[in-house]
Amino acid sequence: RGLTSPLLRAKAQEALVLLLPPALSSVPSAKAGLGPFWRPVQRLTWPAAAFAAWHWYLQTRGDWLFLSITGLLIAMEAARILAPRRRLH
């Protein structure tokens, strides 16, 4: 197996392809040009993160570091999403 595994390479390539549009649209001029379509493009990072996590899992076979960091990131993101939003006055 190792880094030459076709499945491992495929997951890495899928994550890279999904991260390219958000990276290119992160500059202010691209954000202004995309207008309301900017946010959906930026949301491509979610499936990219899933593919990247799967790629990492395949490399490490789910060791304690993978599980710890993935659990921490999921908990932090859940806290951010579930936190009440403050209104600016």
Side-chain angles (χ1 to χ4, degrees):
R1 291 195 59 136
L3 294 177
T4 59
S5 166
L7 181 62
L8 194 58
R9 273 195 316 246
K11 295 304 143 208
Q13 290 169 346
E14 290 165 355
L16 180 65
V17 166
L18 286 173
L19 283 173
L20 196 56
L24 294 175
S25 67
S26 291
V27 296
S29 59
K31 184 177 178 180
L34 285 170
F37 299 105
W38 179 80
R39 189 172 302 272
V41 170
Q42 292 300 311
R43 288 189 178 142
L44 287 173
T45 56
W46 287 100
F51 281 125
W54 190 3
H55 170 76
W56 187 20
Y57 175 80
L58 291 172
Q59 279 189 311
T60 62
R61 314 255 190 312
D63 68 353
W64 68 270
L65 182 62
F66 167 79
L67 296 173
S68 300
I69 292 177
T70 303
L72 178 65
L73 291 173
I74 289 171
M76 288 171 54
E77 203 50 39
R80 184 189 68 82
I81 291 170
L82 297 174
R85 295 183 186 219
R86 297 189 317 195
R87 291 181 178 243
L88 298 176
H89 296 272

